[in-house]
Amino acid sequence: MAKVAFIGLGRMGHGMAGRYLDAGFEVALWNRSKAKAEDLIGRGARWAASPADAAVDADAVVTMVADDAASRAVWLGKDGAAATMKAGALAIECSTVSYRHALELARELRGRGLVYIDSPVTGLPDAAAAGKLTLLVGAEPGDLEQARPYLTPLSTTIRHFGAAGSGTVYKLINNLMGAIQIAGIAEGLAIAEQAGLDMKLVLEAVESGVAASPQVIRHSRRMAARNFSGATFTAALRQKDAAYAVALAESLLADAPIMGHAAVQAYDRAKAYAPDDDEGKMIEIVSRPK
Ligand code: NAP
């Protein structure tokens, strides 16, 4: 039976780890806080004392943690997975990390005889739990084929963008565009409110107009109703993704106006205001009276 070590059981990782159990893999788990693992342990997963312990004898280690610092810790820290992985095993980074970090991780892990692929994802936590994510892969073609049996349980679509790091490039572009759109809809709705427009009519017009995107449609009614229950993507994560994307933009787009700067500034404030709440709370930042 193929052995997977899964590290990071947050909103996304918990459901992804469950997919491996559903698919009959032998699963070892580690998360910084053990409580999130209890039901998965009840379903047959082995709880590990550290990422290194989880990775012992694993054919693939899959990580889904918050950011660069967390990724560095779980792969390369003192008790990180790389310390115990067997040569030729797969190292699959699903977290959204910076491009620079993805390249450093690829170099470090390959230097230790491991097969690295970056596979950040799109899809919300319910898609993660249902195995319906889209995977944005950066990998050598042969490495992707080795990894495919470990990617299939998570996903309905695998998009292969090129070499290691390229999946992360696309993920950052995607989330930067999302950040700009979400900040934009917050600003647009706040203006409409302050101007006294009929918000029912505004929402109908937004949803059927040319500015409507899946992001705009997902957020506009919730923002107008100030309904932030069931947060799926937090202000802290959106700020992180936008900041990583802007760093990439600055490295590639010489002398261009970088629109993402405004989104990063807006999400800096949203993160300071309510880091673990839904990113849609941006409208409360925008519409606060002077
Ligand atoms: P989350 O619920 O906040 O979970 C974050 C995970 O990272 C938790 O397991 C957390 O451990 C762990 N973690 C944070 N800091 C750590 C550290 N220093 N050392 C070790 N572990 C650490 O986040 P999420 O929504 O699942 O997102 C996970 C990743 O997927 C992020 O990179 C995010 O950008 C990306 N993503 C999210 C979504 C979404 O809709 N939520 C969609 C696509 C991609 P604890 O449980 O102990 O806090």
Side-chain angles (χ1 to χ4, degrees):
M1 199 188 303
K3 291 184 180 170
V4 174
F6 198 98
I7 294 167
L9 303 173
R11 289 181 182 85
M12 297 294 288
H14 182 276
M16 292 163 70
R19 289 295 302 162
Y20 287 114
L21 290 170
D22 292 343
F25 286 74
E26 198 175 309
V27 180
L29 297 173
W30 183 83
N31 191 56
R32 189 174 54 176
S33 42
K34 187 180 177 187
K36 292 179 188 170
E38 297 295 356
D39 62 319
L40 297 168
I41 296 166
R43 288 169 58 192
R46 170 175 79 86
W47 173 253
S50 63
D53 179 27
V56 171
D57 215 22
D59 301 301
V61 175
V62 184
T63 55
M64 192 56 161
V65 293
D67 55 15
D68 287 4
S71 170
R72 195 170 293 112
V74 300
W75 287 110
L76 303 173
K78 189 167 73 66
D79 293 319
T84 54
M85 286 175 72
K86 61 187 180 190
L90 282 158
I92 304 176
E93 176 54 280
C94 290
S95 324
T96 307
V97 296
S98 69
Y99 181 53
R100 174 183 286 212
H101 176 74
L103 295 185
E104 282 173 9
L105 196 56
R107 194 174 55 245
E108 275 286 337
L109 296 178
R110 285 174 174 166
R112 298 178 192 214
L114 303 172
V115 177
Y116 173 83
I117 82 167
D118 55 317
S119 181
V121 314
T122 55
L124 296 173
D126 57 349
K132 292 184 175 168
L133 294 171
T134 293
L135 306 184
L136 311 169
V137 171
E140 298 306 319
D143 296 347
L144 172 56
E145 289 321 306
Q146 183 182 340
R148 206 174 280 278
Y150 302 89
L151 302 180
T152 306
L154 304 179
S155 61
T156 48
T157 307
I158 296 174
R159 297 195 200 285
H160 183 202
F161 286 93
S166 61
T168 292
V169 170
Y170 180 74
K171 174 64 182 172
L172 295 177
I173 296 168
N174 182 76
N175 278 28
L176 179 63
M177 293 190 292
I180 292 170
Q181 287 185 10
I182 294 162
I185 187 70
E187 188 166 301
L189 292 179
I191 293 168
E193 289 172 355
Q194 296 300 319
L197 269 56
D198 175 347
M199 291 307 291
K200 186 168 175 292
L201 188 57
V202 167
L203 289 169
E204 282 172 18
V206 164
E207 287 172 348
S208 59
V210 293
S213 68
Q215 283 286 21
V216 168
I217 289 172
R218 184 158 76 87
H219 284 283
S220 49
R221 273 182 197 274
R222 280 164 58 88
M223 281 189 192
R226 304 299 193 268
N227 169 14
F228 306 114
S229 60
T232 51
F233 198 68
T234 64
L237 289 177
R238 181 65 74 177
Q239 188 278 344
K240 175 252 321 183
D241 289 357
Y244 290 167
V246 163
L248 181 59
E250 286 175 336
S251 73
L252 294 173
L253 307 177
D255 298 330
I258 309 272
M259 269 63 87
H261 281 303
V264 171
Q265 281 170 17
Y267 278 101
D268 284 345
R269 288 178 60 182
K271 181 179 166 184
Y273 175 65
D276 299 323
D277 282 351
D278 194 272
E279 58 185 332
K281 272 203 170 181
M282 176 61 76
I283 193 162
E284 292 189 352
I285 305 288
V286 178
S287 59
R288 270 193 294 186
K290 282 187 179 171

